[in-house]
Amino acid sequence: MTTALVATPDSFVRPPDFTLPGGEWFIGAGFGLFVHWDHASQQGIEISWPLVGRSIIPGSDAVEDFVTVEEYQSSAPTFNPVEWDAVALARLAKRAGARYVVFTARHHAGYSMFHTAQSDFGIENSPFGRDVTREFVEAIRAEGIRVGIYYSLPDWNHPDYPAFTMADRPYAEEHWPAAGDPANAGLPIAVDTHRRSTPEQWARYQQYLRRQLTEILTDYGTIDLLWFDGEWERTEEEWDSAGLRALITSLQPDVVINDRLPGQGDYTTPEQGFPVTAPSGPWELCLTIGQMWAWRPGDTKSKSTTSLITTLIEVASRGGNLLLNIGPKGDGSLNESQVATLEEIGAWMDVHSESVVDVSPTQGVDFYGPSTARPGTLYLHLVLRPIEEVVVRGIPVGRVAGVRLLATGEQLPYEVNLEVHEQPAPGQEPLGELHIPAPRASGAPIDVIAIDFA
């Protein structure tokens, strides 16, 4: 006679095998919003990338926005987003169920969306003049949401970086992140020969970086998360990542930092597509609703609400967070289509957030869809509609206290089944299977079954 696998209480919950001191809130946060915006949104073009003549749509080489460097930056002197409403944005984030929001304080193109003494190229010197970053952090904080700041390590407008010019186009293949792939070892593309600053220029640029980061981390209250980008353009040593980290933590010891500060990140940031293997530590998938990050009227290939909720579920079931991007228009107003999508996500989160927020991945659970867990409850996400019944195996069936459909609160019938020849070890519980008749669809984009245990 064989002996069954046995369960200890809540053995289906896979606890994290890592810590994030000071940033514990990030683990299990589940859902956040990304906000990409700068003066070029007045032109209805992607943020930063038109400067370099490259597409950043996965699998696409064609440039979406054909503008010169001068044409891209030409809208800076006239930037006047009179419809900007930070409170409305914060309330939308709250409505959508976001636990944190990340705002682009400065993207690669160099335009500062905050007041800074280090540059006159920014919102402070626009017709608008107001500090939109300050308004953002105050509104987000007022809604009880964590504050994240995006900051690009490169500045393609700064003379000491050096500034990107038409002579630098097209963006050099050896300067692209893929150049560092192991498959390119020994090839010319693997050697980054892209134009560099002189030592004197680089020293001044490093000072510029540090002074802007000091402004952000001292003038805007508690910053919960720093989202760096553009790290591939220089090495860890060139950035002096360790020195930047030391500065940051001296000012805000508990701030969470993404992995795009090379060698110093707290969590990984796959972008647009699911990683082949889910990261083992803290992670976050950043994703656009359409194809582009910033407001672009021609960006009409938007993902459906059901698709986005499915992605949120799949990310949570693998221990990550989803950071979903929106792009305000040039006048500061929000994209109506994106607002509608976030409101639909929020309606789902109203009754289903317990299955994707502050949950853990599962272990030992045999189910044909993504599952999550918290102590005392297992969640089955019906991303594939069951035809006749839902079957889940590998759970402590002797402690099942009830099964419910989250959308309606309806208690669902179920039957317990065990392999009759297997016996648990003394003092331990048997693992078995639960058969649940397929519930009638509630009308929610994705239905979720909760199994509660005594």
Side-chain angles (χ1 to χ4, degrees):
M1 182 176 292
T2 58
T3 301
L5 292 174
V6 295
T8 56
D10 297 330
S11 61
F12 49 85
V13 180
R14 193 183 83 204
D17 56 1
F18 51 82
T19 59
L20 201 56
E24 291 85 357
W25 65 268
F26 183 82
I27 302 170
F31 185 40
L33 287 188
F34 217 169
V35 183
H36 270 68
W37 189 35
D38 84 353
H39 70 82
S41 296
Q42 287 183 122
Q43 302 180 53
I45 61 179
E46 180 61 292
I47 192 168
S48 294
W49 287 98
L51 282 170
V52 302
R54 277 293 294 252
S55 171
I56 58 167
I57 296 177
S60 174
D61 292 324
V63 179
E64 292 78 33
D65 303 308
F66 293 91
V67 296
T68 65
V69 172
E70 292 73 19
E71 286 169 339
Y72 180 92
Q73 302 291 27
S74 67
S75 47
T78 60
F79 191 37
N80 192 24
V82 294
E83 299 300 323
W84 163 249
D85 186 343
V87 172
L89 171 64
R91 288 175 177 168
L92 177 63
K94 185 78 168 182
R95 174 73 191 98
R99 299 284 293 276
Y100 63 108
V101 185
V102 181
F103 182 78
T104 47
R106 182 176 64 69
H107 210 269
H108 310 327
Y111 190 84
S112 295
M113 296 289 280
F114 64 103
H115 286 190
T116 173
Q118 312 313 314
S119 171
D120 59 6
F121 188 61
I123 193 76
E124 187 173 4
N125 295 290
S126 72
F128 193 63
R130 285 160 35 196
D131 189 338
V132 295
T133 297
R134 183 173 304 282
E135 294 177 9
F136 161 78
V137 298
E138 290 177 352
I140 292 295
R141 201 174 286 130
E143 292 294 337
I145 302 173
R146 299 279 182 171
V147 172
I149 293 294
Y150 170 108
Y151 184 82
S152 175
L153 290 167
D155 183 337
W156 292 340
N157 189 65
H158 196 287
D160 288 326
Y161 186 66
F164 209 93
T165 71
M166 294 299 291
D168 296 312
R169 297 171 71 169
Y171 195 79
E173 288 289 336
E174 71 270 14
H175 211 34
W176 196 245
D181 290 347
N184 292 324
L187 301 177
I189 191 177
V191 181
D192 187 352
T193 59
H194 195 68
R195 189 161 59 98
R196 289 290 202 272
S197 313
T198 66
E200 294 76 18
Q201 286 178 314
W202 191 242
R204 289 195 299 266
Y205 186 74
Q206 284 277 17
Q207 185 177 61
Y208 163 74
L209 277 187
R210 282 159 169 73
R211 286 178 174 175
Q212 280 210 323
L213 285 170
T214 298
E215 290 172 333
I216 290 170
L217 296 173
T218 58
D219 296 346
Y220 295 88
T222 299
I223 303 300
D224 299 292
L225 184 146
L226 270 178
W227 216 101
F228 287 106
D229 202 7
E231 79 293 345
W232 64 85
E233 291 203 330
R234 299 289 186 272
T235 66
E236 180 179 343
E237 293 71 27
E238 285 177 294
W239 290 124
D240 183 22
S241 294
L244 286 173
R245 173 98 198 197
L247 170 66
I248 292 163
T249 54
S250 73
L251 299 171
Q252 300 248 6
D254 293 333
V255 69
V256 177
I257 302 173
N258 73 340
D259 62 341
R260 301 190 191 191
L261 182 63
Q264 296 294 323
D266 298 315
Y267 70 96
T268 54
T269 54
E271 180 173 335
Q272 291 289 47
F274 243 89
V276 175
T277 302
S280 58
W283 69 284
E284 160 199 89
L285 173 65
C286 56
L287 182 72
T288 52
I289 290 179
Q291 290 185 300
M292 313 300 286
W293 293 96
W295 159 248
R296 191 170 185 269
D299 185 13
T300 58
K301 293 184 178 180
S302 295
K303 302 170 184 68
S304 70
T305 300
T306 298
S307 170
L308 292 170
I309 291 174
T310 299
T311 300
L312 169 60
I313 290 166
E314 291 177 333
V315 170
S317 74
R318 291 165 172 82
N321 302 329
L322 174 63
L323 186 64
L324 183 63
N325 181 75
I326 62 173
K329 298 180 182 179
D331 65 1
S333 62
L334 299 177
N335 182 336
E336 295 86 355
S337 174
Q338 294 179 350
V339 170
T341 296
L342 290 177
E343 288 178 341
E344 290 169 357
I345 292 173
W348 184 86
M349 291 284 279
D350 283 343
V351 290
H352 297 92
S353 63
E354 68 170 272
S355 74
V356 291
V357 174
D358 291 331
V359 293
S360 299
T362 60
Q363 57 185 3
V365 174
D366 183 0
F367 174 62
Y368 54 79
S371 59
T372 58
R374 66 176 68 248
T377 305
L378 172 67
Y379 301 97
L380 309 178
H381 298 86
L382 307 186
V383 297
L384 300 175
R385 173 58 52 189
I387 297 174
E388 183 173 300
E389 66 176 356
V390 175
V391 180
V392 57
R393 300 182 175 92
I395 63 173
V397 292
R399 290 196 294 113
V400 174
V403 178
R404 55 195 164 95
L405 190 67
L406 287 192
T408 62
E410 172 191 2
Q411 291 292 317
L412 302 177
Y414 61 90
E415 292 184 355
V416 169
N417 194 28
L418 290 166
E419 207 292 313
V420 297
H421 292 282
E422 294 179 336
Q423 297 295 322
Q428 295 185 315
E429 298 176 305
L431 297 177
E433 60 188 26
L434 212 61
H435 291 248
I436 307 164
R440 180 179 301 175
S442 71
I446 302 292
D447 273 320
V448 182
I449 292 174
I451 304 174
D452 297 311
F453 296 87

